[in-house]
Each structure stands twice: as structure tokens, then as C-alpha cells.
Amino acid sequence: MIPFVDLKAQYLSIKDEIDSAVFKALESTQFVLGSEVVALEEEFAHYCNADYGIAVNTGTSALHLALLAVGIGAGDEVITVPFTFVATTAAICYTGATPVFVDIDPVSYTIDVTQIEAAITERTKAILPVHLYGQAADMEPILDIARRHGLVVIEDAAQAHRAEYKGRRVGSLGDIGCFSFYPGKNLGACGEGGMVVTNNPEYERKMRMLRDWGQEQKYHHLLKGYNYRMDGIQGAILRVKLRHLDQWTEARRTHATQYDKLLTSSEVTTPTVMPYSYHVYHVYAVRSPRRDWLQQILHRQGIQTGIHYPIPVHLQPAYAELGYQSGDFPHAERAAREVLSLPMYAELSLNQLEVVSAVVRENLPCMNWQKVG
């Protein structure tokens, strides 16, 4: 069996450090927020080249608080993409605002910046690009559009820890950046967790209150807030893992390069790294018109894969009230039919990479099919 993600291998590689941090957190009895979370906020914000970090319980909460901090609410519209995890859309809906979708670029899988301005209305308040699969969206034109139209830019960086756009870390490019520490992420907790980063002190103050019942001091509630606080143990664990993130990122990038070479003689289309991007490969997503068949073949060979994502958000029953239909976003819909995520994690061995690639090549040899992009 070659797993899609091997969290046990990661844990065993740093077991002594993790165990020590957990025991220290337990002895401190600071189980909610506390000194470890404060230290993580400072360290992660510095890592992202941002002034402030606000630790929360999930990446979804990070998105929700970011939207609330900039004043998004009922009657507002937020532009984003339908090809993403559902949390991006859900967080917009939590505020009472309406998600407005534009299609993705078929090569990068991130928002097609040429379609953004056509989606802007008098109700548009923000643009929420998603740095999908570990690759940054094309932020320069997004920020230019936002400036000209007086819009806020909130980055969904849940899959892009350490990713860069033109040499700058994602999360600090827009007004606010939102990260997830779900266990399978490039930087993952041993449970749930998230982080918001910003350079704006007013946003920082508001989000810090909102995540803790709207209180600035105990039992003094200035805002109607939420219980979005991070656990102290998760803060301690993430501080340990953050020290290894650069090394793990380089391992992922090396694996991606090896996959690229090993799959050149196959039918599948391998990921394209955009010229502005430092890709961190949260997933290594190939694509093929015969995706489902290939996934079955790999499964029978003991190779786990994933599909990120099989149904675009605009076609999910939960969001039918938004009024979109099949065919509205053809690039997102085609990607949903064709993408397949191969095993990708820092601890993958060269032999495992070769086994996965050999199965793909043997079953989908290159037959001069026209590749996407």
C-alpha cells in the first residue's frame, strides 16, 4: 500500500520533539490559547512576512473572521471561484453575503483574472482568490483590480503554506490571508487549527475579539463573537512543525520534479508551475479524460489517490439557490472531471514515486493525445 498521505511517517520523524512539546503544554495546563498559541501567532506571522497572526480553531473560521473583519455582511457580494473546497463558499454565506463565481484558468487552476471585472457590481465588496493545490493565484492583476474598484482582497491560502508570488509569501499579499492547519496540510496540526495574518491593526483587533466571544477583556463583550479559539496543545505542536516546514516543502518540490520526469511518457497532464509562482504542492494533481478509470487501476495496485475536487461548488446541491447551472464555468467543470491527486508528502521514497509513475505509464502511455494547457 502506498498511502495518499502518511501522517504516521511524519510523526515518527519528529516524535521526540512533538512528544516533548505536548507534555510541556499539558504541564502548563494552558489548554485554550495560552503562551504556546501566542508564540505560534508571532512565529507564523513572521514566517509569512506579516505583522499580525490570529490563531483560530479551523481554516473555515479564519475565512469567516476575515470576511467579518472587513465588514462583509448581508447584501454584499464576494467574488471567488467554484473550483475549491466548499469552505471558501461556506464562509461567505456565513456572513449573509453572496458568493459570485468566476471560472478558473485551465492551466493554473486558480482564478481567471481576466473575468473578474465583468463580475463586479455595485454590491461587490471583496475578491477572495484561492491559492489552489499549493500554487499562488496571479495576485498582481487581482490587487490592481481591487485598488481601482475599492475592494478588499482576502487570500484563501489554506493549501499554500510557504508558497510565494514573485518572491513574496502568500497570505501577506492582500489585506488578509487565511490558512488551515488541518492534519493533511503542508503544515498540519494533530487535530484542527487555522490562522489569519494581516498587516492591518484594526482588522487584527477585531478578529482577535471575534474569535473569543467578542471580548477584549474577560466578560466585557464589545462584539457578538464566536468560540473560534485555538487549543494550546495544537499551538505547541504547530510550533514544532513550523521549524520543519522549509525542509518538508523542498522535499515536496523534489518529489514533484521527479513525478514530472517520470510521467513525461504518459498521457496524463502534469501540473504547470506558473512563472510567478513558487509552488509548494499541497497536492500533485495530474489530469486525464480517463481519470476515473486510472484511479480504479491505481487503487487495485494498492496506491491511494484523491480527487480535489469532483464536483464544483456551483453544482453542489447545498448551493443550488445561487442559481448556477452546468456549463456556466466550463474550465472548473472539466477540471473536476479530470483531475487526480497522486500520493504527495515529504516522506515519500523514490521507489514509491517510481511505482506510482510506472502504473500510470503502463496504463496510460503517451499516444500523442493533446494535453490540457
Side-chain angles (χ1 to χ4, degrees), residues 235-284:
I237 291 168
L238 287 163
R239 290 187 68 204
V240 170
K241 289 192 173 188
L242 182 58
R243 296 196 291 266
H244 295 271
L245 183 55
D246 284 347
Q247 175 189 344
W248 291 341
T249 299
E250 286 309 308
R252 285 175 178 269
R253 286 168 54 82
T254 298
H255 298 336
T257 299
Q258 291 167 333
Y259 266 139
D260 290 345
K261 294 176 181 177
L262 291 166
L263 294 173
T264 53
S265 57
S266 73
E267 171 205 306
V268 300
T269 300
T270 54
T272 298
V273 180
M274 305 307 287
Y276 50 74
S277 178
Y278 179 91
H279 202 318
V280 298
Y281 296 98
H282 171 57
V283 299
Y284 184 90

Side-chain angles (χ1 to χ4, degrees), residues 20-302:
S20 176
V22 169
F23 289 137
K24 180 182 175 183
L26 289 171
E27 289 174 355
S28 76
T29 68
Q30 295 180 19
F31 299 128
V32 178
L33 299 177
S35 59
E36 291 291 339
V37 172
V38 170
L40 173 67
E41 291 174 331
E42 295 172 353
E43 291 163 5
F44 191 76
H46 177 75
Y47 191 82
C48 295
N49 298 319
D51 292 337
Y52 308 105
I54 303 94
V56 292
N57 58 342
T58 68
T60 308
S61 298
L63 288 165
H64 187 198
L65 293 190
L67 291 159
L68 293 175
V70 301
I72 301 296
D76 296 333
E77 293 177 350
V78 178
I79 295 173
T80 190
V81 289
F83 193 60
T84 178
F85 184 61
V86 71
T88 311
T89 299
I92 296 169
C93 293
Y94 290 168
T95 69
T98 300
V100 174
F101 296 128
V102 300
D103 210 350
I104 59 168
D105 173 83
V107 178
S108 69
Y109 306 129
T110 60
I111 192 167
D112 183 346
V113 297
T114 67
Q115 297 188 32
I116 293 175
E117 285 197 274
I120 295 174
T121 73
E122 62 181 14
R123 298 169 64 184
T124 306
K125 295 296 177 62
I127 306 171
L128 207 171
V130 180
H131 304 310
L132 198 72
Y133 295 166
Q135 176 150 248
D138 192 358
M139 291 299 294
E140 203 168 79
I142 294 171
L143 293 169
D144 177 64
I145 292 168
R147 280 192 296 268
R148 287 190 284 106
H149 291 272
L151 306 177
V152 175
V153 176
I154 297 172
E155 301 172 67
D156 183 339
Q159 301 181 8
H161 317 72
R162 179 64 178 86
E164 294 180 3
Y165 176 81
K166 294 188 176 182
R168 296 177 60 195
R169 296 273 170 90
V170 303
S172 62
L173 303 169
D175 295 279
I176 302 177
C178 303
F179 294 83
S180 166
F181 299 135
Y182 186 76
K185 303 295 186 183
N186 294 34
L187 178 61
C190 294
E192 297 274 11
M195 182 77 73
V196 193
V197 298
T198 186
N199 294 321
N200 186 308
E202 293 183 12
Y203 294 160
E204 182 264 345
R205 177 174 176 265
K206 189 171 182 180
M207 289 187 287
R208 202 170 291 284
M209 284 192 289
L210 286 170
R211 67 130 184 226
D212 189 16
W213 293 114
Q215 57 187 353
E216 195 164 38
Q217 57 179 304
K218 197 171 182 66
Y219 302 135
H220 290 257
H221 303 271
L222 305 183
L223 303 171
K224 294 177 180 177
Y226 304 85
N227 182 5
Y228 284 174
R229 300 170 296 198
M230 177 179 280
D231 292 348
I233 290 174
Q234 299 304 334
I237 291 168
L238 287 163
R239 290 187 68 204
V240 170
K241 289 192 173 188
L242 182 58
R243 296 196 291 266
H244 295 271
L245 183 55
D246 284 347
Q247 175 189 344
W248 291 341
T249 299
E250 286 309 308
R252 285 175 178 269
R253 286 168 54 82
T254 298
H255 298 336
T257 299
Q258 291 167 333
Y259 266 139
D260 290 345
K261 294 176 181 177
L262 291 166
L263 294 173
T264 53
S265 57
S266 73
E267 171 205 306
V268 300
T269 300
T270 54
T272 298
V273 180
M274 305 307 287
Y276 50 74
S277 178
Y278 179 91
H279 202 318
V280 298
Y281 296 98
H282 171 57
V283 299
Y284 184 90
V286 299
R287 61 188 296 176
S288 167
R290 295 188 279 174
R291 185 269 310 280
D292 294 343
W293 179 81
L294 177 60
Q295 185 179 42
Q296 293 172 13
I297 293 292
L298 289 163
H299 179 74
R300 285 200 287 267
Q301 295 293 323

